[in-house]
Amino acid sequence: MKHACAILLVAASTLRADTTATTTRTVTRLADGIYEIRHPDAPDTFPQSNTTVIIGDKAVLVVDSGLLPSTAREDVAQIRQWTGKPVAYLLNTHWHFDHTLGNATYAEAFPAIQIVSTRPTQKVVAEYNPGVVARYSERAQRFQKILDTGKAPDGRPLTEGQRKDYERSLAGLAPVVAEFKTARQLPPNVVFDRELSIDLGNRPVEVRFLGRGNTAGDAVVYLPNEKILITGDLLVHPVPYLFGGFPVDHAKTLRAMAELDARTIVPGHGDVLRDKTYLFHVVALLEAVNAAVENEVNLSKTLDEVLDTLPKSFDVGTWRSKFAGSSKDEIEFFDTTFEALIKASYTQIKTR
Ligand SMILES: [Zn+2]
C-alpha cells in the first residue's frame, strides 16, 4: 500500500488542493435536463468540485457533492427548482473530500439515495476522510507556524505567492472549521469494479472505471445520447492536478477516455470543454514527463537528482505557457503540479 500512503500524505499537506482560484458560482446548461454547477472556493481558498446534475424521466443522478455542506444545500435547492424528481443516485468520482463531503447533505434531503463509487474510493472515503475533517482546525496552527518561520512544509523559503495563499487561507479558516464541526463524511454505499449502467428513465448513463490516474479509483461518467463525458479530477482545467497519483496509468486512462465519442467534457474543476484538445495536451505532458523520468531512472538517478536535472533538460517553459498562459497564479500552480508530477512519476516508475 505504498502508493496509497503517498497519495494521502501529498493530499493532506497540499495547501490548495486542486486548481487555481474560482470566485463565483456558475451554472451551465449542457443539454435539456443536464446542468453543470461550478462552485466558488471555500472561504479558506480550498477549492470545491464541479457538480453535474443529470435529470431523467424517473430520477436524478448527481456527480460529485462538493466540499461545504452549505454549498450542497444550495445545490439541492437549485435541483428542486429544476425538477420534482428525487436524486436517486450520487456518484463520487474519487475520494478527495472536495468531491465527497456534501454526501450527507444529499442523504438528508433524499433518504433513499444510493451513493456510488469504485471500491478504492469507498475505502478511502470511509477510513481516511473523517479524520481529515476532524483535524481540519489544526490547519490554523500549522499555517501560522509556516507564516512565522517563512518556510514551506518542504523546508524551502515561502515565495511571495505562497505567503499570500497561506495568509488568505488562515484568514478564511474559521467559517470552514465551523461548518466542518457539524459535517459528517458519509461514504458511498454502492460500489462497482469496471462498469455500471444507470437508468434514470429515457436517459442512459454509463459509469466506468477506465484505470488509475489521479487516484487508485477514479470513475468517469458518460452519456452516450448527449455525448457528454464527466471526468472527475483525471482532468482539471486550465492546469492539471497531478499530485500523488499514478502518472504512467494516468496517460493510458486519458487515452481510454479519449476513445469515447464525447463532444462536451466536464472536468473535475474548471471550465466545461467543447472538444478533446485540452485532454490531449494533458496526455502529451504526462507522456513526455514519464519518458524523461524513465530515462533518468535508467541512469540510476535518485529522486533529488531527477528533481534537479529534469527541469533543466526539459522544455518546461513551453509547457508552462501552454497551460498557465501569463497568469501569475496559474504559473505558480503549474510549477507546483509539475514538480509533484516528477515525484509521482519517479515513484511509479521506480516501484513497478
Ligand atoms: Zn478536486
Side-chain angles (χ1 to χ4, degrees):
M1 289 305 291
K2 200 170 178 184
H3 286 133
C5 289
I7 297 170
L8 303 185
L9 285 172
V10 169
S13 64
T14 303
L15 171 63
R16 177 174 281 165
D18 284 50
T19 185
T20 46
T22 307
T23 53
T24 50
R25 179 188 165 89
T26 49
V27 174
T28 306
R29 183 184 167 280
L30 304 176
D32 191 26
I34 305 176
Y35 303 91
E36 183 250 10
I37 309 172
R38 202 170 161 189
H39 304 111
D41 298 339
D44 65 344
T45 77
F46 208 99
Q48 306 207 67
S49 67
N50 287 336
T51 290
T52 308
V53 179
I54 303 158
I55 304 167
D57 285 348
K58 292 185 300 197
V60 180
L61 162 69
V62 170
V63 182
D64 285 337
S65 60
L67 173 76
L68 298 174
S70 57
T71 298
R73 282 196 294 275
E74 216 176 326
D75 290 355
V76 165
Q78 172 74 78
I79 292 166
R80 285 186 162 142
Q81 282 178 7
W82 285 328
T83 178
K85 286 155 203 147
V87 178
Y89 306 95
L90 167 61
L91 175 85
N92 292 150
T93 56
H94 62 291
W95 66 264
H96 292 167
F97 42 92
D98 57 311
H99 297 249
T100 60
L101 207 51
N103 287 2
T105 303
Y106 279 89
E108 280 156 29
F110 305 100
I113 198 166
Q114 311 254 45
I115 305 180
V116 182
S117 77
T118 61
R119 224 171 277 275
T121 295
Q122 184 201 40
K123 187 171 164 55
V124 184
V125 173
E127 294 176 9
Y128 174 73
N129 286 12
V132 177
V133 176
R135 291 190 303 275
Y136 205 81
S137 63
E138 293 170 14
R139 289 180 158 230
Q141 224 182 352
R142 212 165 71 229
F143 293 175
Q144 191 61 60
K145 194 177 158 205
I146 288 166
L147 286 165
D148 290 346
T149 60
K151 277 189 189 159
D154 61 10
R156 286 186 286 199
L158 284 182
T159 63
E160 198 41 41
Q162 283 174 319
R163 169 171 291 280
K164 282 197 182 122
D165 276 350
Y166 278 107
E167 282 169 356
R168 270 200 295 265
S169 297
L170 193 58
L173 199 61
V176 180
V177 169
E179 271 213 54
F180 282 6
K181 283 217 166 93
T182 56
R184 185 167 60 97
Q185 176 64 84
L186 190 65
N189 61 339
V190 177
V191 292
F192 73 100
D193 289 317
R194 287 274 154 195
E195 270 186 54
L196 183 73
S197 297
I198 295 178
D199 176 16
L200 297 173
N202 212 15
R203 180 143 267 166
V205 179
E206 297 172 13
V207 186
R208 296 196 189 168
F209 173 69
L210 297 173
R212 302 188 302 184
N214 160 58
T215 70
D218 302 291
V220 303
V221 177
Y222 179 60
L223 303 176
N225 291 352
E226 297 81 8
K227 302 193 193 306
I228 295 172
L229 173 64
I230 303 153
T231 70
D233 288 358
L234 285 164
L235 214 58
V236 167
H237 184 269
V239 177
Y241 176 82
L242 302 169
F243 294 83
F246 304 90
V248 177
D249 300 26
H250 199 159
K252 291 179 191 154
T253 303
L254 288 179
R255 283 203 178 275
M257 247 166 60
E259 298 280 302
L260 296 166
D261 181 10
R263 308 269 164 85
T264 302
I265 301 178
V266 183
H269 300 260
D271 292 331
V272 173
L273 307 167
R274 300 298 176 177
D275 61 37
K276 293 176 183 164
T277 309
Y278 179 75
L279 190 162
F280 284 116
H281 282 333
V282 179
V283 172
L285 172 69
L286 285 163
E287 289 179 346
V289 170
N290 288 335
V293 169
E294 182 141 22
N295 279 339
E296 307 275 306
V297 169
N298 289 340
L299 297 169
S300 304
K301 296 224 181 124
T302 65
L303 175 59
D304 282 344
E305 286 167 345
V306 176
L307 285 169
D308 183 44
T309 56
L310 192 142
K312 292 173 193 157
S313 61
F314 196 85
D315 187 9
V316 186
T318 304
W319 292 101
R320 185 189 290 119
S321 60
K322 189 181 269 191
F323 286 102
S326 56
S327 153
K328 216 175 149 208
D329 264 10
E330 281 157 22
I331 286 171
E332 190 153 335
F333 185 68
F334 178 86
D335 288 344
T336 318
T337 205
F338 185 77
E339 187 178 291
L341 168 60
I342 297 172
K343 287 182 188 166
S345 178
Y346 183 90
T347 305
Q348 205 189 349
I349 288 168
K350 190 88 180 161
T351 53
R352 76 182 171 187

